[in-house]
Amino acid sequence: MKYQIIPIRSEFLDKVRVEGLDDQNQAVEIITASGGEPCRDVFRCAKAGEKLILASYCPFSVSGPYKEYGPIFVLANASNEVTDGLSLSYLSSEQASYLTSPFVLKAYSKHERILDAKLTSIEDAEANLIDYLSIEGASFVMVRYAAYGCFSFRVERLV
């Protein structure tokens, strides 16, 4: 099964970088990376000394009890790094080291209701992702960091 890792909304990136406001219309924080902070706009960890934005982000569009906001890091300046065509196995590989084991997969319906959730390992993640995208009524899968519970990225099935 083919799938696509969905990038952070470009409107969000423009708003935090230009207006300095996040999805809750709060002022963003500009910080200097210690190194290792997961940058959701480029799907890699920050390098020590890079300027980052810490902001509240909502990966949902439907109002309701599952609509969540949470902190994420993005680069303070736009980057031309390639983020198309990435796979879950690449992002959890030693080379990318964007995801660390364990992490959480959550399957959602098109109405953004949770259908199932699982703590997974790097070794089992690809198979678990395919299983979740195969669930009847599943529209997308959200990947989250286990320790902090923060949003990492969204995955959609390619038709």
Side-chain angles (χ1 to χ4, degrees):
M1 173 181 295
K2 294 188 180 212
Y3 61 84
Q4 179 180 12
I5 294 174
I6 306 300
I8 295 286
R9 296 184 326 273
S10 59
E11 303 82 35
F12 171 82
L13 293 172
D14 291 342
K15 187 175 178 182
V16 297
R17 289 178 178 144
V18 176
E19 298 175 40
L21 297 173
D22 65 17
D23 270 352
Q24 295 194 75
N25 289 316
Q26 305 171 123
V28 303
E29 292 182 27
I30 307 293
I31 65 168
T32 301
S34 299
E37 296 89 339
C39 298
R40 277 47 162 228
D41 56 332
V42 289
F43 302 119
R44 68 164 172 82
C45 292
K47 299 171 191 132
E50 282 187 296
K51 291 293 180 196
L52 303 178
I53 293 173
L54 175 58
S56 183
Y57 178 71
C58 181
F60 298 95
S61 59
V62 176
S63 292
Y66 290 101
K67 188 173 185 176
E68 302 172 346
Y69 294 79
I72 66 167
F73 294 104
V74 296
L75 297 176
N77 298 303
S79 169
N80 60 358
E81 294 175 54
V82 177
T83 58
D84 293 337
L86 298 177
S87 68
L88 183 60
S89 25
Y90 171 75
L91 293 177
S92 57
S93 71
E94 216 172 285
Q95 179 185 2
S97 67
Y98 179 71
L99 286 173
T100 56
S101 206
F103 53 94
V104 176
L105 299 177
K106 290 183 177 182
Y108 287 86
S109 71
K110 69 178 181 179
H111 301 294
E112 299 183 349
R113 302 293 233 182
I114 295 176
L115 300 174
D116 204 351
K118 176 182 285 196
L119 190 62
T120 191
S121 66
I122 288 170
E123 298 77 26
D124 298 331
E126 193 81 25
N128 289 331
L129 174 65
I130 299 305
D131 287 347
Y132 272 14
L133 289 171
S134 299
I135 293 173
E136 185 175 339
S139 180
F140 62 94
V141 172
M142 206 71 79
V143 179
R144 293 187 170 269
Y145 294 100
Y148 291 93
C150 300
F151 167 83
S152 181
F153 55 88
R154 177 178 171 142
V155 182
E156 294 179 0
R157 178 179 42 244
L158 288 176
V159 189

Coordinates of all heavy atoms in Angstrom, one line a residue, residues 32-114:
T32 N 17.0 29.1 20.3 CA 18.2 28.6 19.7 C 18.2 27.1 20.0 O 18.2 26.7 21.2 CB 19.4 29.3 20.2 OG1 19.3 30.7 19.9 CG2 20.7 28.7 19.5
A33 N 18.3 26.3 19.0 CA 18.3 24.8 19.2 C 19.5 24.3 20.0 O 20.6 24.8 19.8 CB 18.3 24.1 17.9
S34 N 19.2 23.4 20.9 CA 20.3 22.7 21.6 C 20.8 21.6 20.7 O 22.0 21.2 20.9 CB 19.8 22.1 22.9 OG 19.3 23.1 23.8
G35 N 20.0 21.2 19.9 CA 20.3 20.1 18.9 C 19.4 18.9 19.3 O 19.3 18.5 20.5
G36 N 18.7 18.3 18.3 CA 17.9 17.2 18.6 C 16.4 17.5 18.6 O 15.6 16.5 18.6
E37 N 16.0 18.7 18.6 CA 14.6 19.1 18.6 C 14.0 18.6 17.3 O 14.5 18.9 16.2 CB 14.4 20.6 18.8 CG 14.8 21.1 20.1 CD 16.3 21.6 20.1 OE1 17.1 21.1 19.3 OE2 16.7 22.4 21.0
P38 N 12.8 17.9 17.3 CA 12.2 17.4 16.1 C 11.5 18.6 15.3 O 10.5 19.1 15.8 CB 11.2 16.4 16.5 CG 10.9 16.8 17.9 CD 12.1 17.5 18.5
C39 N 12.0 18.9 14.1 CA 11.5 20.0 13.3 C 10.4 19.4 12.4 O 10.8 18.7 11.4 CB 12.6 20.7 12.5 SG 13.8 21.5 13.6
R40 N 9.2 19.7 12.6 CA 8.1 19.1 11.9 C 8.0 19.6 10.4 O 7.4 19.0 9.6 CB 6.8 19.4 12.6 CG 6.4 18.5 13.7 CD 7.4 18.2 14.7 NE 6.9 17.7 15.9 CZ 7.2 18.2 17.1 NH1 8.1 19.1 17.3 NH2 6.7 17.6 18.2
D41 N 8.6 20.7 10.1 CA 8.5 21.2 8.7 C 9.5 20.6 7.8 O 9.3 20.5 6.6 CB 8.7 22.8 8.7 CG 10.0 23.2 9.3 OD1 10.5 22.5 10.3 OD2 10.5 24.3 8.9
V42 N 10.6 20.0 8.3 CA 11.6 19.4 7.5 C 11.9 17.9 7.8 O 12.7 17.3 7.3 CB 13.0 20.2 7.5 CG1 12.8 21.5 6.8 CG2 13.4 20.4 9.0
F43 N 11.1 17.4 8.8 CA 11.2 16.0 9.2 C 12.7 15.6 9.5 O 13.1 14.5 9.1 CB 10.6 15.0 8.1 CG 9.2 15.3 7.8 CD1 8.8 15.7 6.5 CD2 8.2 15.2 8.8 CE1 7.5 16.0 6.2 CE2 6.9 15.5 8.5 CZ 6.5 15.8 7.2
R44 N 13.3 16.4 10.3 CA 14.6 16.1 10.9 C 14.8 16.8 12.2 O 14.0 17.7 12.6 CB 15.7 16.5 9.9 CG 15.9 18.0 9.7 CD 17.2 18.3 9.1 NE 17.3 19.7 8.8 CZ 17.7 20.7 9.6 NH1 17.9 20.4 10.9 NH2 17.7 22.0 9.2
C45 N 15.8 16.3 12.9 CA 16.1 17.0 14.2 C 17.0 18.2 13.9 O 17.8 18.2 13.0 CB 16.8 16.0 15.1 SG 15.8 14.7 15.6
A46 N 16.8 19.2 14.8 CA 17.5 20.5 14.7 C 19.0 20.2 15.0 O 19.3 19.4 15.8 CB 16.9 21.5 15.6
K47 N 19.8 21.1 14.4 CA 21.2 21.1 14.6 C 21.5 22.2 15.7 O 20.8 23.2 15.7 CB 22.0 21.4 13.4 CG 21.8 20.4 12.3 CD 22.4 20.9 11.0 CE 22.0 20.0 9.9 NZ 21.5 20.7 8.7
A48 N 22.4 21.9 16.6 CA 22.7 22.9 17.6 C 23.0 24.3 17.0 O 23.7 24.3 16.0 CB 23.9 22.4 18.5
G49 N 22.4 25.3 17.5 CA 22.6 26.7 17.1 C 21.5 27.2 16.1 O 21.5 28.4 15.8
E50 N 20.7 26.3 15.5 CA 19.7 26.7 14.5 C 18.6 27.5 15.3 O 18.3 27.2 16.4 CB 19.0 25.5 13.8 CG 19.8 24.9 12.7 CD 19.1 23.8 12.0 OE1 18.7 22.8 12.6 OE2 18.8 24.0 10.8
K51 N 18.1 28.5 14.6 CA 16.9 29.2 15.2 C 15.7 28.4 14.9 O 15.4 28.0 13.8 CB 16.8 30.6 14.5 CG 18.0 31.5 14.9 CD 17.9 31.9 16.4 CE 19.0 32.8 16.8 NZ 19.2 32.8 18.2
L52 N 14.9 28.2 15.9 CA 13.6 27.5 15.9 C 12.5 28.3 16.3 O 12.6 29.3 17.1 CB 13.7 26.2 16.7 CG 14.8 25.2 16.4 CD1 14.7 24.1 17.4 CD2 14.7 24.7 15.0
I53 N 11.3 27.9 15.9 CA 10.0 28.5 16.5 C 9.4 27.4 17.2 O 9.2 26.3 16.7 CB 9.1 29.0 15.3 CG1 9.7 30.2 14.6 CG2 7.7 29.3 15.9 CD1 9.0 30.7 13.4
L54 N 9.0 27.7 18.5 CA 8.2 26.8 19.3 C 6.8 27.4 19.3 O 6.6 28.5 19.7 CB 8.7 26.7 20.7 CG 7.9 25.8 21.7 CD1 7.7 24.4 21.2 CD2 8.6 25.9 23.0
A55 N 5.8 26.6 18.8 CA 4.4 27.1 18.6 C 3.4 26.1 18.9 O 3.7 24.9 18.7 CB 4.3 27.7 17.2
S56 N 2.2 26.5 19.1 CA 1.1 25.5 19.3 C 0.5 25.3 17.9 O 0.2 26.2 17.2 CB 0.0 26.1 20.2 OG -1.0 25.2 20.4
Y57 N 0.3 24.0 17.6 CA -0.2 23.6 16.3 C -1.4 22.6 16.4 O -1.4 21.8 17.4 CB 0.9 22.8 15.5 CG 0.5 22.3 14.2 CD1 0.3 23.2 13.1 CD2 0.4 20.9 13.9 CE1 0.0 22.7 11.9 CE2 0.1 20.5 12.7 CZ -0.1 21.3 11.7 OH -0.5 20.9 10.4
C58 N -2.3 22.8 15.5 CA -3.5 21.9 15.5 C -3.5 21.1 14.2 O -3.8 21.8 13.1 CB -4.8 22.6 15.7 SG -6.2 21.5 15.7
P59 N -3.3 19.8 14.2 CA -3.3 19.1 12.9 C -4.7 18.7 12.5 O -4.9 17.9 11.5 CB -2.5 17.8 13.2 CG -2.7 17.6 14.7 CD -2.9 19.0 15.3
F60 N -5.8 19.1 13.2 CA -7.1 18.8 12.9 C -7.9 20.0 12.2 O -7.6 21.1 12.5 CB -7.9 18.3 14.1 CG -7.3 17.1 14.8 CD1 -6.3 17.2 15.8 CD2 -7.6 15.9 14.3 CE1 -5.7 16.1 16.3 CE2 -7.0 14.7 14.9 CZ -6.1 14.9 15.9
S61 N -9.0 19.6 11.5 CA -9.8 20.7 10.9 C -11.2 20.6 11.3 O -12.0 21.6 11.1 CB -9.7 20.6 9.4 OG -10.2 19.3 8.9
V62 N -11.6 19.5 12.0 CA -13.0 19.4 12.4 C -13.2 19.7 13.9 O -12.4 19.2 14.7 CB -13.5 17.9 12.1 CG1 -14.9 17.7 12.6 CG2 -13.4 17.6 10.6
S63 N -14.1 20.5 14.2 CA -14.4 20.8 15.6 C -14.9 19.6 16.3 O -15.7 18.8 15.7 CB -15.4 22.0 15.7 OG -14.8 23.2 15.3
G64 N -14.6 19.5 17.6 CA -15.1 18.3 18.4 C -14.1 18.0 19.4 O -13.0 18.6 19.6
P65 N -14.4 16.9 20.2 CA -13.6 16.6 21.4 C -12.2 16.0 21.0 O -11.4 16.1 21.9 CB -14.5 15.5 22.0 CG -15.4 14.9 21.0 CD -15.6 16.1 20.0
Y66 N -12.0 15.6 19.8 CA -10.7 15.1 19.4 C -9.7 16.2 18.9 O -8.6 15.9 18.6 CB -10.8 13.9 18.4 CG -11.4 12.7 19.0 CD1 -12.7 12.4 18.8 CD2 -10.6 11.9 19.8 CE1 -13.2 11.2 19.4 CE2 -11.1 10.7 20.4 CZ -12.5 10.4 20.2 OH -13.0 9.3 20.8
K67 N -10.3 17.4 18.7 CA -9.4 18.4 18.1 C -8.4 18.9 19.2 O -8.8 19.4 20.2 CB -10.3 19.6 17.7 CG -9.5 20.7 16.9 CD -10.5 21.7 16.4 CE -9.7 22.7 15.5 NZ -10.5 23.7 14.9
E68 N -7.2 18.7 18.9 CA -6.1 18.9 19.9 C -5.1 20.0 19.3 O -4.9 20.1 18.1 CB -5.3 17.7 20.1 CG -6.1 16.5 20.6 CD -5.2 15.2 20.7 OE1 -4.1 15.2 20.1 OE2 -5.7 14.3 21.3
Y69 N -4.5 20.7 20.3 CA -3.4 21.6 20.0 C -2.3 21.2 20.8 O -2.4 20.7 21.9 CB -3.8 23.1 20.4 CG -4.9 23.7 19.6 CD1 -6.3 23.4 19.9 CD2 -4.7 24.6 18.6 CE1 -7.3 23.9 19.2 CE2 -5.7 25.1 17.9 CZ -7.0 24.8 18.2 OH -8.0 25.4 17.4
G70 N -1.1 21.3 20.2 CA 0.1 21.0 21.0 C 1.4 21.6 20.5 O 1.4 22.2 19.4
P71 N 2.4 21.6 21.3 CA 3.7 22.3 20.9 C 4.4 21.6 19.8 O 4.5 20.3 19.9 CB 4.4 22.3 22.2 CG 3.9 21.1 23.0 CD 2.5 21.0 22.6
I72 N 5.0 22.3 18.9 CA 5.9 21.7 17.9 C 7.0 22.7 17.6 O 6.9 23.9 17.9 CB 5.2 21.4 16.5 CG1 4.6 22.7 15.9 CG2 4.0 20.4 16.7 CD1 4.2 22.5 14.4
F73 N 8.1 22.2 17.1 CA 9.2 23.0 16.6 C 9.2 23.0 15.1 O 8.9 22.0 14.5 CB 10.6 22.4 17.1 CG 10.8 22.4 18.5 CD1 10.7 21.2 19.2 CD2 11.2 23.5 19.2 CE1 10.9 21.1 20.6 CE2 11.4 23.5 20.6 CZ 11.3 22.3 21.3
V74 N 9.5 24.2 14.5 CA 9.7 24.3 13.1 C 10.9 25.3 13.0 O 11.2 26.0 13.9 CB 8.5 24.9 12.3 CG1 7.3 24.0 12.4 CG2 8.1 26.3 12.8
L75 N 11.6 25.2 11.8 CA 12.7 26.1 11.6 C 12.2 27.5 11.5 O 11.1 27.8 11.0 CB 13.4 25.8 10.3 CG 14.1 24.4 10.2 CD1 14.6 24.2 8.8 CD2 15.1 24.2 11.3
A76 N 12.9 28.5 12.1 CA 12.5 29.9 12.1 C 12.5 30.5 10.7 O 11.7 31.4 10.4 CB 13.4 30.7 13.0
N77 N 13.4 29.9 9.8 CA 13.5 30.4 8.4 C 13.1 29.2 7.5 O 13.4 28.1 7.8 CB 14.9 30.9 8.1 CG 15.3 32.0 9.0 OD1 14.6 33.1 9.0 ND2 16.3 31.9 9.8
A78 N 12.4 29.6 6.5 CA 12.0 28.6 5.5 C 13.2 27.9 4.9 O 14.3 28.4 4.8 CB 11.2 29.2 4.4
S79 N 13.0 26.6 4.6 CA 14.1 25.8 4.1 C 13.6 25.2 2.7 O 12.5 24.9 2.5 CB 14.4 24.6 5.1 OG 15.2 23.7 4.5
N80 N 14.6 24.9 1.9 CA 14.3 24.2 0.6 C 14.6 22.7 0.7 O 14.7 22.0 -0.3 CB 15.0 24.9 -0.5 CG 16.5 24.8 -0.4 OD1 17.0 24.3 0.6 ND2 17.2 25.3 -1.3
E81 N 14.7 22.2 1.9 CA 15.0 20.7 2.1 C 13.8 19.9 1.5 O 12.6 20.3 1.7 CB 15.1 20.4 3.6 CG 16.4 21.1 4.2 CD 16.5 20.9 5.7 OE1 16.5 19.7 6.1 OE2 16.7 21.9 6.4
V82 N 14.1 18.8 0.9 CA 13.1 18.0 0.3 C 12.4 17.2 1.3 O 13.0 16.5 2.1 CB 13.8 17.0 -0.8 CG1 12.7 16.1 -1.4 CG2 14.4 17.8 -1.9
T83 N 11.0 17.2 1.3 CA 10.2 16.5 2.3 C 9.2 15.6 1.6 O 8.4 14.9 2.2 CB 9.5 17.4 3.3 OG1 8.7 18.3 2.5 CG2 10.5 18.2 4.1
D84 N 9.2 15.6 0.2 CA 8.3 14.7 -0.5 C 8.8 13.3 -0.6 O 10.1 13.1 -0.7 CB 8.2 15.3 -2.0 CG 7.5 16.6 -2.0 OD1 6.7 16.9 -1.1 OD2 7.6 17.3 -3.0
G85 N 7.9 12.4 -0.6 CA 8.3 11.0 -0.9 C 9.0 10.3 0.3 O 9.6 9.2 0.1
L86 N 8.9 10.8 1.5 CA 9.5 10.2 2.6 C 8.7 9.0 3.1 O 7.4 9.0 2.9 CB 9.7 11.2 3.7 CG 10.6 12.4 3.4 CD1 10.7 13.3 4.6 CD2 12.0 11.9 3.1
S87 N 9.3 8.0 3.7 CA 8.6 6.9 4.3 C 8.7 6.8 5.8 O 9.7 7.4 6.3 CB 9.1 5.6 3.6 OG 10.4 5.3 4.1
L88 N 7.8 6.1 6.4 CA 7.9 5.9 7.9 C 9.2 5.2 8.2 O 9.9 5.6 9.2 CB 6.7 5.1 8.3 CG 6.6 4.9 9.8 CD1 6.6 6.2 10.6 CD2 5.4 4.1 10.2
S89 N 9.6 4.2 7.4 CA 10.8 3.5 7.7 C 12.1 4.4 7.6 O 13.0 4.3 8.4 CB 11.0 2.2 6.9 OG 10.4 2.2 5.7
Y90 N 12.0 5.4 6.6 CA 13.2 6.3 6.6 C 13.2 7.2 7.8 O 14.3 7.4 8.4 CB 13.1 7.1 5.3 CG 14.1 8.2 5.3 CD1 15.5 7.9 5.0 CD2 13.8 9.5 5.5 CE1 16.4 8.9 5.1 CE2 14.7 10.5 5.6 CZ 16.1 10.2 5.4 OH 17.0 11.2 5.4
L91 N 12.1 7.8 8.1 CA 12.0 8.7 9.3 C 12.4 8.1 10.6 O 12.8 8.8 11.5 CB 10.7 9.4 9.4 CG 10.3 10.3 8.2 CD1 8.9 10.9 8.3 CD2 11.3 11.4 8.0
S92 N 12.2 6.8 10.7 CA 12.6 6.1 11.9 C 13.9 5.4 11.8 O 14.4 4.7 12.7 CB 11.5 5.1 12.3 OG 11.3 4.2 11.3
S93 N 14.6 5.6 10.7 CA 15.9 5.0 10.5 C 17.0 5.7 11.3 O 16.8 6.9 11.7 CB 16.3 4.9 9.0 OG 16.6 6.3 8.5
E94 N 18.1 5.1 11.4 CA 19.3 5.7 12.1 C 19.8 6.9 11.3 O 20.2 7.9 11.8 CB 20.4 4.7 12.2 CG 21.2 4.8 13.5 CD 22.2 3.7 13.7 OE1 21.7 2.6 14.0 OE2 23.4 3.9 13.5
Q95 N 19.7 6.8 10.0 CA 20.1 7.9 9.1 C 19.3 9.2 9.4 O 19.8 10.3 9.5 CB 20.0 7.5 7.6 CG 20.4 8.6 6.7 CD 20.1 8.2 5.2 OE1 19.6 7.2 4.9 NE2 20.5 9.1 4.3
A96 N 18.0 9.1 9.4 CA 17.1 10.3 9.7 C 17.0 10.6 11.1 O 17.0 11.7 11.5 CB 15.7 10.0 9.1
S97 N 16.9 9.6 12.0 CA 16.7 9.7 13.4 C 15.6 10.7 13.8 O 15.8 11.4 14.8 CB 18.0 9.9 14.1 OG 18.6 11.2 13.8
Y98 N 14.6 10.9 13.0 CA 13.5 11.8 13.3 C 12.6 11.2 14.4 O 12.1 11.9 15.3 CB 12.8 12.2 12.1 CG 11.6 13.1 12.3 CD1 11.8 14.4 12.6 CD2 10.3 12.6 12.1 CE1 10.7 15.3 12.8 CE2 9.2 13.5 12.3 CZ 9.4 14.8 12.7 OH 8.4 15.6 12.9
L99 N 12.3 9.9 14.2 CA 11.4 9.2 15.2 C 12.3 8.3 16.0 O 13.2 7.7 15.5 CB 10.4 8.4 14.5 CG 9.2 9.1 13.8 CD1 8.4 8.1 13.0 CD2 8.4 9.8 14.9
T100 N 12.0 8.2 17.3 CA 12.7 7.2 18.2 C 11.6 6.3 18.7 O 10.5 6.6 18.8 CB 13.4 7.9 19.3 OG1 12.4 8.7 20.0 CG2 14.5 8.8 18.8
S101 N 12.1 5.1 19.0 CA 11.2 4.0 19.5 C 11.0 4.1 21.0 O 11.9 4.5 21.7 CB 11.8 2.7 19.1 OG 10.8 1.7 19.0
P102 N 9.8 3.9 21.5 CA 8.6 3.7 20.8 C 7.9 5.0 20.4 O 8.3 6.0 20.9 CB 7.7 2.9 21.8 CG 8.2 3.5 23.1 CD 9.7 3.8 22.9
F103 N 6.9 4.9 19.5 CA 6.1 6.0 19.2 C 4.7 5.5 19.0 O 4.4 4.3 19.0 CB 6.6 6.8 18.0 CG 6.9 6.0 16.7 CD1 5.9 5.9 15.7 CD2 8.1 5.4 16.5 CE1 6.2 5.2 14.6 CE2 8.4 4.7 15.4 CZ 7.4 4.6 14.4
V104 N 3.7 6.5 18.8 CA 2.3 6.1 18.8 C 1.8 6.3 17.4 O 2.0 7.3 16.7 CB 1.5 7.0 19.8 CG1 0.1 6.7 19.7 CG2 2.1 6.8 21.2
L105 N 0.9 5.4 16.9 CA 0.1 5.5 15.7 C -1.3 5.6 16.1 O -1.8 4.8 17.0 CB 0.3 4.3 14.8 CG 1.7 4.0 14.3 CD1 1.7 2.7 13.4 CD2 2.2 5.2 13.5
K106 N -2.1 6.6 15.6 CA -3.5 6.7 15.8 C -4.2 6.8 14.5 O -4.0 7.6 13.7 CB -3.8 8.0 16.6 CG -3.3 8.0 18.1 CD -3.8 9.2 18.7 CE -3.4 9.3 20.2 NZ -3.9 10.5 20.9
A107 N -5.2 5.8 14.3 CA -6.0 5.8 13.1 C -7.2 6.7 13.3 O -7.9 6.5 14.4 CB -6.4 4.4 12.7
Y108 N -7.6 7.5 12.3 CA -8.7 8.4 12.4 C -9.6 8.2 11.2 O -9.2 7.9 10.1 CB -8.3 9.9 12.5 CG -7.6 10.3 13.7 CD1 -6.3 10.1 13.9 CD2 -8.4 10.9 14.7 CE1 -5.7 10.5 15.1 CE2 -7.8 11.3 15.9 CZ -6.4 11.1 16.1 OH -5.8 11.5 17.3
S109 N -10.9 8.5 11.5 CA -11.9 8.5 10.4 C -11.9 9.9 9.7 O -11.2 10.8 10.2 CB -13.3 8.3 10.9 OG -13.7 9.4 11.7
K110 N -12.6 10.0 8.6 CA -12.7 11.3 7.9 C -13.3 12.4 8.7 O -13.1 13.6 8.5 CB -13.4 11.2 6.5 CG -14.8 10.9 6.6 CD -15.5 10.9 5.3 CE -17.0 10.6 5.4 NZ -17.6 10.5 4.1
H111 N -14.1 12.0 9.8 CA -14.7 12.9 10.7 C -13.7 13.2 11.9 O -14.2 13.8 12.9 CB -16.0 12.4 11.2 CG -17.0 12.1 10.1 ND1 -17.5 13.1 9.3 CD2 -17.5 11.0 9.6 CE1 -18.3 12.6 8.4 NE2 -18.3 11.3 8.5
E112 N -12.5 12.7 11.8 CA -11.4 12.9 12.8 C -11.8 12.4 14.1 O -11.5 13.0 15.2 CB -11.1 14.4 12.8 CG -10.5 14.9 11.5 CD -10.1 16.4 11.5 OE1 -10.3 17.1 12.4 OE2 -9.4 16.7 10.5
R113 N -12.3 11.2 14.1 CA -12.6 10.4 15.3 C -11.6 9.3 15.4 O -11.3 8.6 14.3 CB -14.0 9.8 15.3 CG -15.1 10.8 15.1 CD -15.2 11.6 16.3 NE -16.6 11.6 16.8 CZ -16.9 12.4 17.9 NH1 -16.0 13.1 18.5 NH2 -18.1 12.3 18.3
I114 N -11.1 9.0 16.5 CA -10.1 7.9 16.7 C -10.7 6.6 16.5 O -11.8 6.3 17.1 CB -9.4 8.0 18.1 CG1 -8.6 9.2 18.2 CG2 -8.5 6.7 18.3 CD1 -8.0 9.4 19.6

